[in-house]
Amino acid sequence: MTTGFPPLLWRRFPERYTLAGNKCETCGTSYFPARKVCPNCRRRGKLVDESMPRKGKIVSWTQCFVGPTGFEHETPYFVAIIELENKVRLLAQLVDSDEKKVKTGACVEKVFRKINDADKSGPIAYGYKFKIVG
């Protein structure tokens, strides 16, 4: 499975590695991925780069028993909607977590993990996932 981008270009997406987003200095709302225009303030808003917090909590989750092509070997696995400390929500896979601890409201922390590899001789794609802490 490939990303559709050459490896060097793919690695330049800051949101994939550092959870880079942005924040409107006018209204204080944070966005991930980064936006070009603040939907609240429109042209009046001034967006600046912001690194998203590494911690958050689970808002909703599910367990996947049938993975998409390229991820069949990872099943079963958990995915969750995570609300970060700055109220930004994102969808992410949960890893390194006891199944009994996966629940709404559980505290999570961002970790850096392998996402996939194109083939045995191709590049390996890395990115963010989350694990339950506490």
Side-chain angles (χ1 to χ4, degrees):
M1 180 173 170
T2 62
T3 61
F5 296 105
L8 290 176
L9 177 61
W10 190 89
R11 289 185 177 111
R12 291 186 182 145
F13 295 134
E15 58 272 357
R16 179 69 69 178
Y17 292 100
T18 62
L19 283 182
N22 58 10
K23 180 176 186 170
C24 178
E25 288 188 326
T26 306
C27 70
T29 306
S30 296
Y31 298 103
F32 178 82
R35 303 232 178 150
K36 297 203 182 284
V37 175
C38 174
N40 299 323
C41 303
R42 305 285 178 186
R43 282 199 242 158
R44 293 174 288 136
K46 180 177 184 216
L47 293 167
V48 295
D49 292 341
E50 177 185 40
S51 290
M52 296 292 111
R54 296 179 55 87
K55 295 185 178 186
K57 64 181 179 178
I58 296 174
V59 175
S60 182
W61 60 273
T62 191
Q63 187 172 17
C64 300
F65 292 95
V66 179
T69 303
F71 294 90
E72 305 91 342
H73 64 284
E74 293 189 25
T75 57
Y77 59 90
F78 291 95
V79 292
I81 296 174
I82 308 292
E83 183 176 279
L84 300 175
E85 292 173 332
N86 63 354
K87 305 298 181 203
V88 165
R89 289 184 177 187
L90 52 89
L91 180 68
Q93 184 179 0
L94 297 175
V95 295
D96 304 336
S97 300
D98 182 357
E99 185 175 328
K100 294 176 187 136
K101 292 184 178 183
V102 177
K103 60 184 174 184
T104 301
C107 294
V108 294
E109 183 175 62
K110 181 188 113 168
V111 293
F112 191 70
R113 294 288 188 273
K114 176 180 158 183
I115 303 292
N116 67 12
D117 48 8
D119 57 45
K120 291 191 188 284
S121 62
I124 298 173
Y126 292 93
Y128 65 87
K129 295 183 181 187
F130 283 81
K131 73 174 184 174
I132 295 175
V133 293

